[in-house]
Amino acid sequence: MNITEMTALELGAKIKSGEIKAPDAARAVLDEIKKKDPYYSGGINAYIITLENEAIKRAEEVQAMIDAGELEDSPLAGVPIAIKDNICTKGMKTTCASKILGDFKPPYNATVIEKLNAAGAVIIGKLNMDEFAMGSTGETSFYGETKNPWNHERVTGGSSSGAAAAVAACEAPCALGSDTGGSIRQPASFCGVTGMKPTYGAVSRYGLIAYASSLDQIGPVAKDAADCAAILDIICGKDEMDGTSLDVEHKSYLDSLSGDVSGLKIGIPRQCFGDGLNADVKAAVLGVAETLKSKGAETEEFDMPLIDYAVPTYYIIAAAEASSNLSRFDGVKYGFRADGFEDLTDLYMKTRSEGFGEEVKRRIMLGTFALSTGYYDAYYKKALQVKALIKKVFDEAYEKYDIILFPAAPTTAPKMGESLSDPLKMYLSDIYTVSVNLAGLPGISVPCGFDKDGMPIGAQLVGAPLGDSVILNAAFAYQQLTDHHKKPAEKFGKEAE
Ligand code: GLN
């Protein structure tokens, strides 16, 4: 098998056994990126920056450590990994796919990067995304849209567009994304890869450039659930630098994968399978329940009220927090500064007008409005109240079920350009993902089939708070019985022709 087609764990095992050398793995991935990614020759554009020399040098160092008998307990030592470009990497440009960050090079690493380094992973590049993680299609990047490897005319989903596309196109064995309202799970679903948002607080946010701090969470994007478990094992844990990170004892996520789902109670919320859901998506997602049932899981339909309120609630809270978080980009401290300003106010205005894209400005204005005196109670406070109610609905469901199953998105990947003209339509397409962030729950999207045009479909398994290993195990069990996650996008596309 070609190096770039292996899962991260397969590659890690071969590096450990000496069959493949870490620098060769890095070179193979970099070659694939050169072949498939360049934007100006019509490539996928999953990467904003590739770290050619740094990655090879680092792979050589890791190989020397492996040869010296170090990193024995690390299943991903020497494995290349790509990082969404809103995660700070010391001394390496970090852009959030925005003009406003210019050539900003963070003076520190995010905690997840420190942890990946300690585990011997090799960072291969920084991934494209919607600007400041705001978007559901990957089209709002200052660095150009990312193309869906299954069909270049379709979007990848967003905002972790590069993460999902890079893994789907075998331009990275695995990646880190971030998920505020679906940004890992929805692009994973559109690109036919596996993506997980851990429980809020399971992974440190230190060094993740904030969008909506109470919802943001870093998580893995990979070919399968076992890879996601291996990555989560590395990046999770309490961090003094993030007061919201959780201190919980748990077994290794990877070691907990038994594939045993007998007696697992799966709830299927009726409200998530009604109007507006594409028929192919509905059939494929319900098929997941049937497959898990054949292994002894039990399924039941139930009512999940309030789900219709999730999108408006999310967009008020996310925009409000974003308007505050993004106030630090003022032309003084970071990256880009506009020319020709007259005074300080003019500097702020010119820099922010020129530096932010349309969608980011829309969110800042919406958020500022929702937080302003007179409207705070009517919008922001109300949204927080509904958020609490949504959490309660989930809490009640988890008294009966171990997992809740619904789609990651109502459709497969739309055509490029369709959503940009109608932002409200784009927001509504987040219906299945945002409630999971509002309730702080873990969710994973697993490939579960294809629509009539051959585009991938993702099913979402959502767990109780800290039920990360429960959803990983259910996803793992499902992937042992199916092969939707094994079809590399472009190869499959060619075979299908
Ligand atoms: N599409 C959602 C938004 O634009 C989610 C983004 C995210 O999870 N970062 O807010």
Side-chain angles (χ1 to χ4, degrees), residues 84 133-136 158-159 178-183 211 314-315 318 363 430:
K84 186 173 179 179
M134 298 172 190
S136 311
S159 66
S178 72
D179 190 313
T180 306
S183 278
Y211 163 14
Y314 167 81
Y315 274 94
R363 308 280 178 114
D430 292 338

Side-chain angles (χ1 to χ4, degrees), residues 84 86 130 132-137 158-160 178-186 211 216 314-315 318 359 363 426-427 429-430 433-434 437:
K84 186 173 179 179
N86 57 352
D130 281 299
F132 280 104
M134 298 172 190
S136 311
T137 65
S159 66
S160 306
S178 72
D179 190 313
T180 306
S183 278
I184 288 177
R185 292 158 288 151
Q186 184 255 30
Y211 163 14
D216 295 340
Y314 167 81
Y315 274 94
E359 187 57 35
R363 308 280 178 114
M426 182 175 86
Y427 299 169
S429 73
D430 292 338
T433 46
V434 293
N437 300 73

Side-chain angles (χ1 to χ4, degrees), residues 1 3-12 79 173 223-224 227:
M1 190 196 261
I3 288 179
T4 55
E5 286 175 18
M6 292 175 194
T7 67
L9 281 168
E10 282 165 355
L11 180 55
V79 173
K223 290 197 174 81
D224 63 20
D227 277 4

